[in-house]
Amino acid sequence: MRNPFVQGRANAVGAALLCWITLSPGIATGACAGDCGTDGSVSVDEVITLVNLALNGGSVAACAPGDGDGDGSITVDEIVIAVTHALTGCPDSATPTATATASATPTVTPTADPELAYMSDAEFESRKTALLEAATVRLRPDSMTSVLAHLERDATDPAWEAPAGAVPADAWNAVFTKVANLKDTSDFDVLMLINLLYRFDGHPMVHPGIWQRAEETVLGFKYWYTQTGPEGVVDHMWYWTENHLIMFHTIEYLAGQRWPERRFTHTGMTGAEHKADARERLLDWFDLRARFGFSEFLSNTYYAFDLRPLLTLAEFADDEELVRRAQMTIDLLAYDLAIHTFRGAFGSPHGRAFKSNKTNASRESTFEAVKFLYDTTAIDYPDADDGTAVLFALSSRYRVPRVLQEIAAAPGPFANRQRMGIFFDEFERGAAAPHPDGFRYDTFEDLIVWWSMSNLTAWQVVPKTLELINTYDLWETDGFQPFRAVRDLTAVPGIAQTVALNLAHALSMPLLEQVNLYTYRTADYMLSSAQNYRIGSRSNEGHFWQATFDHEAIVFTQHPGIPPVESSNWSADGEPG
């Protein structure tokens, strides 16, 4: 595994390692390790300075007090100590500084007082109350998120009662029909069914028939593209992007955990078998995120759909390792949101974004979650029917670290540099060289890695892509139907590879390869860009630089691949932007 500093994951230092440690007496490291300005305290800006020094190998003269052992470099342990001082204050000169030792427990805190380490219980309850009050102004019986919010308020607010029978027997017919027909994003719906069944199965607000159909739907679902689905139904689900992978693996694990002895309707597997398979795939997904970060980098759409399964897994999994890794990965995403949020806007480049999310921060899929975690804007919740924010509010096993709240609120100025994603050269000539990270081009196992970064059409992966499409007859699915016109051309992989190489600037349009990110934030504005990213190539759903002044005052450039819908309201255009 690569050194996280070499890979450029400031997140791994700035979030997970800071939130999964316990302190014990150690070696004194000077008056106040991390106090770059020698003013007797450690600020968020100084912590970020140390992270950047560690990532970029700069001179420690920029923060000599951060180099506790005097070796001329900044280490993870030294950053952890500096964060401890930022949280708890600088120690007296006579008091030994604590050092960090790893802990395997998923509930430890980096200080003796949890109130100093995480969002306090009082603050959490206050924000939860505000969100649930907004989410329960009216009931939308056809929205599982709305129902979930109502049921949680009924369970936690003694002065409020959910109306019995308010969700009639046919309220979720559209959901059940969609899932039965294996339509794309059915996994998103099954995740909410899992949440409802784990939390409130049988509640009288929901018609009894719905609870029965929900259980049958989960037991009858197809959780992986290699599994058997209902006979005669074309599987249109897209399994392979980063957010879908964590979604499918989470719901399969939790379904198997809930019904370990049951034999699932179409797959023929027991719940225990589903759980075991899903666990291995979950660990693979976590390993890739820890090593490379997110290919769908800083997405104001799909970070929300990463967070939902992670929060669900952390809440209900009976496996300590999975809970811990889910919590740590939430920290990584929360760090990204904190460092790139300005006045409520997630004002960064986005590996994937949609036009409707771009012109106003309140329309971002991450907005409600950011408001719940950091509250950097006075804007009310624009859509209280948001699954990500509601799952944060319902979580009993996750609290955002206070240092991330401080980062989100820090006025700056500061700069943040990150590298995320997997290196790939779609313009490579000659025989494909061994990939520097050890991935292969001739196995289905590694093809999933390439597809997770939307790399289906680079010439190196084309032969295996075509083999998978043909093996599982994906030509008939909604995702591949547009390409059936060129199916004959793909019959000879060598020809397809030649076309893919010579038209790489166009055909590799959705590719999400490694990216270098730079963000500069002040009290008045934030500038953020993906540096020299895929110059000269087309992109799908990409958003590569932005200047942010307010949630409604943003500047960016875009060249849509198709004419935009004529409308006075750009949010009416749901096409990729």
Side-chain angles (χ1 to χ4, degrees):
M1 183 177 294
R2 286 185 177 182
N3 183 306
F5 290 134
V6 175
Q7 179 61 18
R9 287 294 292 162
N11 309 50
V13 178
L17 291 177
L18 305 185
C19 303
W20 300 100
I21 56 172
T22 183
L23 296 178
S24 60
I27 301 171
T29 58
C32 188
D35 178 15
C36 306
T38 63
D39 61 357
S41 64
V42 178
S43 69
V44 171
D45 288 351
E46 288 168 330
V47 172
I48 293 171
T49 294
L50 293 175
V51 170
N52 284 326
L53 287 173
L55 288 171
N56 302 306
S59 170
V60 297
C63 188
D67 181 18
D69 58 9
D71 67 351
S73 65
I74 302 299
T75 66
V76 170
D77 286 347
E78 288 164 339
I79 295 173
V80 168
I81 293 168
V83 170
T84 303
H85 293 163
L87 290 169
T88 63
C90 287
D92 295 333
S93 58
T95 303
T97 303
T99 57
T101 56
S103 170
T105 306
T107 54
V108 295
T109 61
T111 71
D113 185 355
E115 295 291 297
L116 295 175
Y118 298 99
M119 179 190 289
S120 69
D121 289 343
E123 184 180 7
F124 176 83
E125 291 301 328
S126 174
R127 294 191 182 190
K128 175 177 179 176
T129 297
L131 176 67
L132 291 181
E133 286 178 352
T136 54
V137 169
R138 67 184 181 93
L139 173 65
R140 291 176 52 197
D142 61 339
S143 165
M144 291 185 286
T145 302
S146 178
V147 172
L148 186 61
H150 279 74
L151 292 174
E152 179 66 13
R153 188 173 180 191
D154 176 77
T156 57
D157 184 351
W160 195 89
E161 185 175 354
V167 182
D170 62 351
W172 298 350
N173 279 358
V175 170
F176 294 135
T177 299
K178 172 186 172 183
V179 174
N181 286 285
L182 304 181
K183 293 296 185 181
D184 191 28
T185 71
S186 289
D187 48 322
F188 296 177
D189 297 309
V190 173
L191 182 84
M192 297 311 292
L193 291 175
I194 290 283
N195 270 278
L196 285 154
L197 287 166
Y198 264 86
R199 296 175 188 275
F200 298 113
D201 189 6
H203 193 287
M205 177 178 143
V206 179
H207 189 280
I210 286 185
W211 292 120
Q212 180 61 35
R213 289 188 70 184
E215 179 176 318
E216 292 170 355
T217 296
V218 174
L219 289 168
F221 194 56
K222 179 181 176 183
Y223 292 95
W224 194 230
Y225 74 98
T226 60
Q227 295 172 2
T228 302
E231 186 175 355
V233 175
V234 176
D235 182 358
H236 298 285
M237 297 186 295
W238 194 268
Y239 296 87
W240 302 281
T241 52
E242 208 165 63
N243 67 90
H244 281 295
L245 289 170
I246 184 61
M247 192 77 69
F248 274 106
H249 304 338
T250 292
I251 58 180
E252 181 174 22
Y253 182 90
L254 293 175
Q257 175 180 282
R258 187 169 176 86
W259 295 285
E261 304 302 324
R262 296 281 293 273
R263 193 163 295 278
F264 283 42
T265 310
H266 300 296
T267 67
M269 299 167 61
T270 66
E273 290 171 332
H274 274 291
K275 179 183 175 184
D277 283 358
R279 186 180 192 277
E280 293 306 309
R281 288 193 280 265
L282 283 165
L283 292 174
D284 288 343
W285 189 91
F286 285 127
D287 286 345
L288 286 171
R289 302 293 74 74
R291 188 177 179 188
F292 300 106
F294 292 83
S295 293
E296 295 172 326
F297 58 87
L298 306 181
S299 175
N300 61 352
T301 302
Y302 290 107
Y303 267 25
F305 292 96
D306 293 322
L307 286 164
R308 294 179 194 187
L310 289 168
L311 286 161
T312 304
L313 187 66
E315 187 72 7
F316 299 120
D318 60 4
D319 184 303
E320 181 176 303
E321 181 180 7
L322 291 180
V323 171
R324 178 175 57 85
R325 297 192 75 174
Q327 292 167 323
M328 292 173 71
T329 309
I330 297 168
D331 280 341
L332 299 183
L333 292 162
Y335 176 85
D336 279 346
L337 293 170
I339 205 77
H340 297 100
T341 290
F342 182 76
R343 296 178 182 171
F346 189 15
S348 67
H350 311 300
R352 299 182 66 191
F354 293 84
K355 293 177 184 177
S356 57
N357 298 129
K358 291 184 177 183
T359 57
N360 188 310
S362 65
R363 299 191 188 107
E364 294 176 325
S365 299
T366 51
F367 179 83
E368 289 88 343
V370 169
K371 180 173 175 62
F372 183 84
L373 295 175
Y374 304 130
D375 201 19
T376 58
T377 175
I379 305 170
D380 292 332
Y381 290 105
D383 178 7
D385 190 16
D386 174 72
T388 313
V390 168
L391 290 180
F392 267 117
L394 270 60
S395 177
S396 65
R397 288 185 176 179
Y398 181 80
R399 292 291 183 273
V400 65
R402 187 171 295 280
V403 68
L404 298 188
Q405 292 182 299
E406 295 293 332
I407 288 172
F414 62 78
N416 182 68
R417 298 174 179 87
Q418 290 175 255
R419 178 179 298 132
M420 283 200 271
I422 299 172
F423 169 81
F424 195 83
D425 181 9
E426 66 268 39
F427 304 107
E428 175 186 14
R429 296 276 175 174
H435 191 270
D437 295 302
F439 299 116
R440 298 170 61 96
Y441 302 116
D442 58 355
T443 69
F444 280 160
E445 180 182 10
D446 282 351
L447 187 66
I448 303 307
V449 176
W450 301 128
W451 279 28
S452 73
M453 51 190 280
S454 299
N455 184 5
L456 287 73
T457 56
W459 71 268
Q460 298 96 321
V461 304
V462 159
K464 211 63 184 175
T465 286
L466 294 175
E467 184 181 344
L468 190 146
I469 292 173
N470 290 322
T471 299
Y472 295 97
D473 197 21
L474 300 181
W475 295 110
E476 301 303 315
T477 68
D478 290 344
F480 287 94
Q481 274 189 354
F483 304 101
R484 284 194 294 178
V486 298
R487 185 174 183 175
D488 291 343
L489 177 65
T490 65
V492 182
I495 294 176
Q497 282 185 291
T498 301
V499 172
L501 175 59
N502 287 285
L503 297 179
H505 278 297
L507 293 183
S508 294
M509 179 173 62
L511 174 60
L512 293 167
E513 62 187 23
Q514 190 176 78
V515 60
N516 294 306
L517 299 155
Y518 185 93
T519 296
Y520 182 73
R521 195 171 88 191
T522 75
D524 302 306
Y525 61 86
M526 184 170 73
L527 305 175
S528 192
S529 69
Q531 302 283 294
N532 297 325
Y533 190 67
R534 301 192 63 228
I535 296 174
S537 293
R538 293 188 66 190
S539 175
N540 183 49
E541 304 176 355
H543 183 82
F544 300 118
W545 78 271
Q546 181 168 311
T548 307
F549 301 93
D550 192 71
H551 74 285
E552 291 182 316
I554 61 176
V555 180
F556 61 90
T557 52
Q558 199 74 33
H559 186 253
I562 58 176
V565 174
E566 290 190 13
S567 170
S568 59
N569 181 4
W570 207 15
S571 67
D573 183 356
E575 292 295 326

